[in-house]
Amino acid sequence: MATQEIPVEKCSLHVPDLDELCRVLQKGLSNNFKNVSVKTVECPDLTQKPFTLAAKGISGSPRLADVGGVPYLVPLAQRDKVYNFDTVASLVDLPGAFIIGAGAGRLCTINCELMPNIVTTSDCTHGDNKSRAAMICPDDGILMIKQYDLNEFYILGNLLACEGKQGPVIEVKVSKRSGKENFVTNMRETLKAHYGDKPVGLGGTFLIESGKAKLHVMPDYSQVPLNSDADVDSWLKFREADAPLVCLSVLISHDPGLSLRVEHTHCFRQFNEGGHYHYDTTPDEVSYHGYFVPAEYMYRLDRPPT
Ligand SMILES: [Zn+2]
């Protein structure tokens, strides 16, 4: 879609003091994990292994973007829903932004899970695309993890955009899950319980260092309409993946009426594993280690009609 065709809505988010955020998350995560440590640290260089991000940090004017949505995927995919990363960076008022998150891609006309990890191109920035895609080969049903060099994504994306600078971030380490919530939901519900209708958005990256996680990978677009959750579940390809996995994640505690997807996380391990994160399947063995920043704004781009 051309820039001028994409409707943009914007709202300010509540940005808590980092140390306060640490205390809130420390308490909330302790209800769901046996070992919890949340503190403010200087962001490590995230271009290094295992993260291999396209920029060193997740700081500098952080903002979330919720682009398109599931209504453009089901019951039948709207193939004309095409978004350009450089355009999205401009629309969120941060040309040349570093962007990570979870979205849908297309490689050789085939639908795929996308792990956006890209420094976009502007007048003053050269792009660097380290995105990956998880794709189901239509011929044999085998999962392939591919370098994703394209500047376009499709249908939907849940993104953190920032200047890619190193700065103060929240480091979260948890292990041994004692409760039922997945890691991301646990953080989101914790923020929701504490901040109520003041929306707090986080974006960042985390490792699943040990254990296993349930993922799904979308196959190519369904030829028949997917009219129910059961239809969608039988279309998706579910798998259990071993750690380590690098996850790219965004969440928001409260939807202020923008029809938002409140959490979305995609993950990868080099070029042999990846997909959409649901939850870990090994509560005793699992450990998570991540870095997050609170976002200043939420941008809603091309909101689907209800
Ligand atoms: Zn997904």
Side-chain angles (χ1 to χ4, degrees), residues 113 264 266 276:
E113 300 288 337
H264 202 175
H266 283 184
H276 171 110

Side-chain angles (χ1 to χ4, degrees), residues 11-13 15 18 57-65 92 94 97-98 159-165 168-169 201-204 292-299:
C11 82
S12 295
L13 301 180
V15 183
L18 288 187
I58 49 176
S59 295
S61 311
R63 54 211 50 213
L64 303 183
V92 302
L94 208 59
F98 169 49
L159 309 169
L160 167 71
C162 66
E163 293 166 26
K165 293 177 178 168
V169 293
L202 296 185
F292 297 90
V293 287
E296 296 165 353
Y297 303 100
M298 167 62 81
Y299 287 75

Side-chain angles (χ1 to χ4, degrees), residues 35-200:
N35 306 311
V36 178
S37 163
V38 188
K39 57 186 181 185
T40 305
V41 299
E42 275 298 306
C43 191
D45 182 352
L46 296 173
T47 62
Q48 300 302 303
K49 286 182 181 174
F51 292 99
T52 64
L53 300 193
K56 286 187 173 184
I58 49 176
S59 295
S61 311
R63 54 211 50 213
L64 303 183
D66 188 331
V67 187
V70 172
Y72 297 151
L73 181 65
V74 297
L76 286 168
Q78 295 183 33
R79 291 168 187 255
D80 61 335
K81 290 295 179 186
V82 183
Y83 309 103
N84 179 287
F85 281 112
D86 299 337
T87 304
V88 166
S90 294
L91 290 173
V92 302
D93 303 315
L94 208 59
F98 169 49
I99 291 177
I100 55 172
R106 195 184 293 166
L107 279 172
C108 304
T109 78
I110 296 165
N111 182 37
C112 55
E113 300 288 337
L114 180 60
M115 300 72 167
N117 174 18
I118 178 172
V119 175
T120 56
T121 303
S122 72
D123 292 344
C124 27
T125 338
H126 287 294
D128 183 18
N129 195 347
K130 289 190 161 29
S131 303
R132 286 174 170 79
M135 184 174 125
I136 302 290
C137 178
D139 296 334
D140 52 19
I142 290 185
L143 172 71
M144 296 183 293
I145 309 298
K146 302 258 195 189
Q147 179 71 37
Y148 190 90
D149 296 320
L150 304 177
N151 233 350
E152 276 76 39
F153 64 103
Y154 302 84
I155 311 274
L156 62 89
N158 298 91
L159 309 169
L160 167 71
C162 66
E163 293 166 26
K165 293 177 178 168
Q166 288 174 279
V169 293
I170 293 174
E171 180 186 54
V172 183
K173 288 186 192 181
V174 298
S175 61
K176 290 219 174 207
R177 183 166 52 80
S178 51
K180 288 206 158 46
E181 285 178 343
N182 85 38
F183 175 55
V184 179
T185 303
N186 188 194
M187 286 201 292
R188 182 174 56 74
E189 290 288 348
T190 294
L191 296 174
K192 184 178 176 179
H194 188 84
Y195 292 105
D197 60 4
K198 284 194 277 188
V200 175

